[in-house]
C-alpha cells in the first residue's frame, strides 16, 4: 500500500509517500570500500561469513593493494553451531594481524548478519582487544544487512569514532568541522575556499590518520558533507557541537548554499564570500553548460539506495533541467534534508522506504530516460531497454564542490550517451 504520509504542503511542497516491503539495497559493509581509503592507518576487520567476504571483495574488486586495509574473519559452521569460541578466534586473528601490520593504528571490528545472529558482542571484544593490543585503538560498529543499508555503514563507523574524539576546551574559539568522508582532493579545495573566506580552523571527520582525529566541543560548528549521517550527527550534538543547516555540496547551487551556511556562522562578509567563491561558481557554470542540453527535459527515476537521492535530484532538476519522475530514498531525514526539500520542484514525488515490486512496476510504466539504482536492479532494467546509472558510483567518485560539478553531471549523461550508441 502506498499511503501518502503527509499532505504536500507539510513537507516543502513535495508529494511524499512512504513504502514498506521488499528492499533491494546493499548492506552497510559496502562503506568499507571507500572508508578504508580515507583513514590511511585504519583496518576494517569484518566479522562475518564468506558471503560478506565476497561482497567486500567484489565491491572493492577494482582496487588492488599490496597491503589491503580490510579483511573478513570468517564465522563458519562450527561457530554458528556454538562449537567454537568466537571470541578466542577473533582475538587470535586480531593479534596476528597487528603483529604482521604494525602500521595499523585503528582497528574496526565490523559486525555482520552472522555475528548478529550468534550475538557476538563486538563492543566487549573491542574493549578487550584495545587493552590487549596496546598500540592500537579498537572500535566496533555494525555493517549488517539486518541493521544497515549501504551508506549507513559510514554513519555507523563515524558515530563509533565520536566518543573517542579529543574534547575541545569550553573556552576554545569556534571551529568548523566538516563531517563525512570526502575525497582528499575535494577536502583540499574546500580548505582553500574556507581559508579565502577567513575561516582558518577547519577540521574533517574522518581525519586521514587515526592520530589526527578532530577535537570537538561546544564551540564546534559542523557541516554535514553527506546526507546519511544521522547517528554521527546525534553523537556530535550530544558532545555540544552545533549543526549548520545547509543543502549538500552537490552541484554549484548546493555548494554555494553549503558554503553560505559556514560563512553566515563565522561572520564572513558578503564581499569576502563573493570574492572567495566567484571563480569556482563561474567554472562550475561553464562545466555544466553542455550538460544542460544533454540532460534538460530527461525524465529521471531514482530507486532508494544511497540516501544521496534528494540532493542529486535537486541538482538534476534545478541546474540541468531534468524532470523527476520519482525520487526514492531509503530514509528521509526531515531536519538534515530540510534545505534540500525546499529546493525540490513543487509536487516532486518522493518515496521513503521501498516496496520493490510496486516501485519496479511504476518505473516500467513510466519508462524514464534514466534510472538511478543499485547494481542488482540495473541489469534487468537495462535488459528491458532502460538506461541506468549505478548509484554506488556516486559514492566512489569525487562529486562534491564547484570543481566536480561537471563530473557529477557527466556521471548522469554517460549512460544516456551509451544507450544512444546502442540504439544506433
Ligand atoms: Fe550479506 Fe549480511 Fe554479510 Fe551484508 S552483512 S554481506 S547482508 S550476510
Amino acid at each position: 500500500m502506498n499511503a501518502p504520509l503527509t499532505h504536500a504542503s507539510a513537507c516543502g511542497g513535495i508529494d511524499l509517500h512512504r513504502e514498506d516491503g521488499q528492499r533491494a539495497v546493499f548492506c552497510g559493509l559496502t562503506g568499507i570500500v571507500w572508508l578504508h581509503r580515507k583513514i590511511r592507518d585504519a583496518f576494517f576487520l569484518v566479522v562475518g561469513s564468506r558471503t560478506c567476504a565476497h561482497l567486500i571483495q567484489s565491491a572493492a574488486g577494482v582496487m588492488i593493494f599490496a597491503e589491503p586495509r580490510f579483511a573478513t574473519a570468517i564465522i563458519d559452521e562450527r561457530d554458528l553451531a556454538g562449537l567454537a569460541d568466537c571470541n578466542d578466534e577473533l582475538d587470535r586473528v586480531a593479534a596476528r594481524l597487528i603483529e604482521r601490520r604494525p602500521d595499523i593504528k585503528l582497528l574496526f571490528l565490523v559486525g555482520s548478519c552472522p555475528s548478529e545472529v550468534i550475538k557476538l558482542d563486538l563492543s566487549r571484544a573491542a574493549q578487550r582487544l584495545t587493552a590487549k593490543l596496546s598500540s592500537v585503538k579498537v572500535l566496533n560498529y555494525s555493517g549488517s544487512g539486518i541493521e544497515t543499508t549501504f551508506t549507513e555503514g559510514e554513519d555507523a563507523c563515524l558515530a563509533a569514532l565520536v566518543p573517542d574524539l579529543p574534547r575541545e576546551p569550553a573556552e576554545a574559539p569556534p571551529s568548523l568541522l566538516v563531517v563525512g568522508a570526502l575525497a582528499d582532493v575535494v577536502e583540499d579545495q574546500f580548505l582553500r575556499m574556507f581559508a579565502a573566506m577567513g575561516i582558518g580552523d577547519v577540521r574533517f571527520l574522518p581525519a586521514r590518520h587515526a592520530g589526527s582525529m578532530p577535537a570537538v566541543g561546544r564551540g564546534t560548528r559542523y557541516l554535514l558533507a553527506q546526507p546519511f549521517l544521522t547517528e554521527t550527527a546525534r553523537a556530535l550534538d550530544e558532545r555540544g557541537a552545533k549543526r549548520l543547516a545547509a543543502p549538500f555540496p552537490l552541484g554549484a547551487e548546493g555548494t554555494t548554499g553549503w558554503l553560505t551556511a559556514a560563512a553566515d556562522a563565522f561572520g564572513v562578509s558578503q564581499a569576502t564570500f563573493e570574492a572567495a567563491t566567484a571563480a569556482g561558481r563561474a567554472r562550475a557554470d561553464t562545466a555544466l553548460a553542455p550538460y544542460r542540453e544533454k540532460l534538460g527535459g530527461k525524465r529521471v527515476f531514482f530507486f532508494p539506495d544511497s540516501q544521496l537521492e534528494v540532493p542529486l535530484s535537486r541538482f538534476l532538476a534545478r541546474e540541468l533541467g531534468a524532470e523527476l519522475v520519482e525520487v526514492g530514498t531509503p530514509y528521509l531525514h526531515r531536519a538534515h534534508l530540510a534545505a534540500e526539500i525546499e529546493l525540490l520542484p513543487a509536487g516532486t514525488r518522493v518515496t521513503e522506504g521501498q516496496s520493490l515490486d510496486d516501485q519496479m512496476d511504476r518505473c516500467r510504466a513510466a519508462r524514464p530516460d534514466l534510472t538511478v539504482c543499485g547494481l542488482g536492479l540495473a541489469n534487468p532494467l537495462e535488459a528491458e531497454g532502460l538506461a541506468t546509472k549505478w548509484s554506488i558510483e556516486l559514492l566512489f567518485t569525487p562529486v562534491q564542490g564547484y570543481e566536480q560539478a561537471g563530473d557529477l553531471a557527466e556521471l548522469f549523461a554517460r549512460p544516456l550517451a551509451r544507450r544512444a550508441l546502442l540504439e544506433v
Side-chain angles (χ1 to χ4, degrees), residues 27 29 49 51-52 55 112-114 143-145:
C27 66
L29 295 188
S49 63
T51 309
C52 309
L55 172 91
S112 66
C113 304
S144 122

Side-chain angles (χ1 to χ4, degrees), residues 25-54:
V25 187
F26 279 132
C27 66
L29 295 188
T30 325
I32 294 170
V33 177
W34 62 90
L35 285 167
H36 83 106
R37 290 191 289 178
K38 187 70 215 169
I39 315 174
R40 302 206 180 105
D41 50 3
F43 193 97
F44 294 79
L45 184 62
V46 177
V47 185
S49 63
R50 286 181 209 287
T51 309
C52 309
H54 285 145

Side-chain angles (χ1 to χ4, degrees), residues 173-225:
S175 60
L176 179 63
L177 179 68
V178 175
V179 186
L182 292 170
D184 291 354
V185 59
V186 176
E187 274 187 13
D188 292 342
Q189 288 165 6
F190 284 144
L191 264 181
R192 284 196 291 275
M193 220 165 274
F194 287 127
M197 283 187 228
I199 307 175
D201 190 355
V202 183
R203 305 156 190 194
F204 292 88
L205 180 70
R208 297 179 195 183
H209 293 96
S212 51
M213 291 293 167
V216 171
R218 295 199 167 276
T220 305
R221 305 286 176 266
Y222 70 91
L223 271 175
L224 292 178

Side-chain angles (χ1 to χ4, degrees), residues 104-127:
I104 297 169
K105 300 289 174 240
L106 176 61
L107 174 63
F108 287 103
L109 304 179
V110 188
S112 66
C113 304
S115 71
E116 259 174 46
V117 168
I118 61 168
K119 302 213 180 317
L120 191 56
D121 188 341
L122 291 183
S123 121
R124 283 184 58 188
Q127 286 170 17

Side-chain angles (χ1 to χ4, degrees), residues 62-78:
V62 284
M63 289 168 245
I64 311 292
F65 285 104
E67 289 280 22
R69 289 193 293 267
F70 57 86
T72 307
I74 304 284
I75 296 174
D76 61 22
E77 288 76 11
R78 271 168 48 79

Side-chain angles (χ1 to χ4, degrees), residues 318-352:
R318 291 174 62 95
E319 295 194 53
L320 298 168
E323 195 186 311
L324 304 174
V325 179
E326 177 168 337
V327 180
T329 183
Y331 304 105
L332 190 76
H333 194 297
R334 310 294 193 275
H336 292 179
L337 286 164
E340 293 286 351
I341 291 168
E342 287 299 321
L343 292 171
L344 279 179
T348 300
R349 182 191 168 107
V350 177
T351 307
E352 184 183 14

